[in-house]
Amino acid sequence: MLGYVKITVDLKKVKVDANFEEIYPFWSTLCDEFTKECVDVEIQSWQEEHDVIEELKKISEVSKDEGLIKIQRIPLTDDNRAFFKNHAANKEGKLKWFSMRYYDEKGNGRIEVRDYGFEVRFNKVTRVYSEEVIQQFSNPHTEAEFYDDDVE
């Protein structure tokens, strides 16, 4: 049976002056290991996040407005993967993108990074695979759980 894994960062357990690596210790592993099968990413930003939108405009294949949200679709080339891994922090040390959804070559949404990285979901995973995900994302300030109910 397929389901999804939901990982949440408990901000009450993160020290106040934590840097990006302390808040998101899983970020490199997510970028290096778990997005390998994905071919592009869709990023949603708030329209007032001008710097983020402009930065992504340079690498976007598709860009559209939907109300208060700007949606940009970006191919996961080697350069773009390196960019997302190494330039993900904003000035405050938090993830700079509000929402990211990684897609495989069949167009299936595989991984979602929500609420500036404070929630991560792995969609359509087996219970066995979920154990690997949960192990990789385990740290003192995250909670990870597998749900049997498949949600896309």
Side-chain angles (χ1 to χ4, degrees):
M1 173 179 274
L2 294 177
Y4 69 95
V5 175
K6 178 180 174 185
I7 298 109
T8 52
V9 175
D10 185 345
L11 290 173
K12 293 179 225 148
K13 295 179 181 177
V14 176
K15 66 181 184 178
V16 175
D17 61 345
N19 64 28
F20 185 85
E21 289 77 20
E22 292 170 315
I23 299 169
Y24 312 99
F26 52 81
W27 189 253
S28 288
T29 302
L30 175 73
C31 293
D32 289 341
E33 300 299 324
F34 291 104
T35 65
K36 281 182 184 178
E37 296 178 16
C38 299
V39 295
D40 56 12
V41 63
E42 182 179 274
I43 297 180
Q44 294 184 3
S45 305
W46 295 105
Q47 290 286 2
E48 63 263 14
E49 295 175 313
H50 302 290
D51 293 342
V52 171
I53 292 169
E54 284 302 311
E55 184 177 51
L56 293 176
K57 188 184 281 187
K58 300 170 190 168
I59 58 174
S60 296
E61 282 188 344
V62 175
S63 182
K64 62 183 177 179
D65 296 328
E66 286 195 13
L68 300 174
I69 301 286
K70 171 68 105 180
I71 299 172
Q72 295 168 293
R73 189 95 171 215
I74 298 140
L76 290 173
T77 63
D78 289 343
D79 287 343
N80 290 347
R81 286 178 187 278
F83 170 75
F84 289 123
K85 178 182 175 185
N86 300 316
H87 301 285
N90 65 16
K91 293 174 188 168
E92 293 80 35
K94 304 234 176 20
L95 187 68
K96 61 173 106 172
W97 305 294
F98 174 67
S99 172
M100 304 174 80
R101 189 169 196 170
Y102 289 86
Y103 292 89
D104 64 19
E105 62 185 26
K106 294 180 181 176
N108 297 315
R110 306 302 300 184
I111 301 170
E112 297 174 63
V113 180
R114 300 175 175 186
D115 193 21
Y116 297 102
F118 296 122
E119 181 180 316
V120 179
R121 285 189 184 218
F122 286 76
N123 297 320
K124 296 189 177 189
V125 297
T126 63
R127 183 174 290 282
V128 171
Y129 183 73
S130 75
E131 292 170 7
E132 178 185 343
V133 171
I134 290 168
Q135 181 182 10
Q136 290 291 328
F137 282 74
S138 291
N139 69 65
H141 62 270
T142 59
E143 296 175 13
E145 191 169 344
F146 175 74
Y147 296 89
D148 285 331
D149 190 17
D150 187 29
V151 174
E152 175 67 23

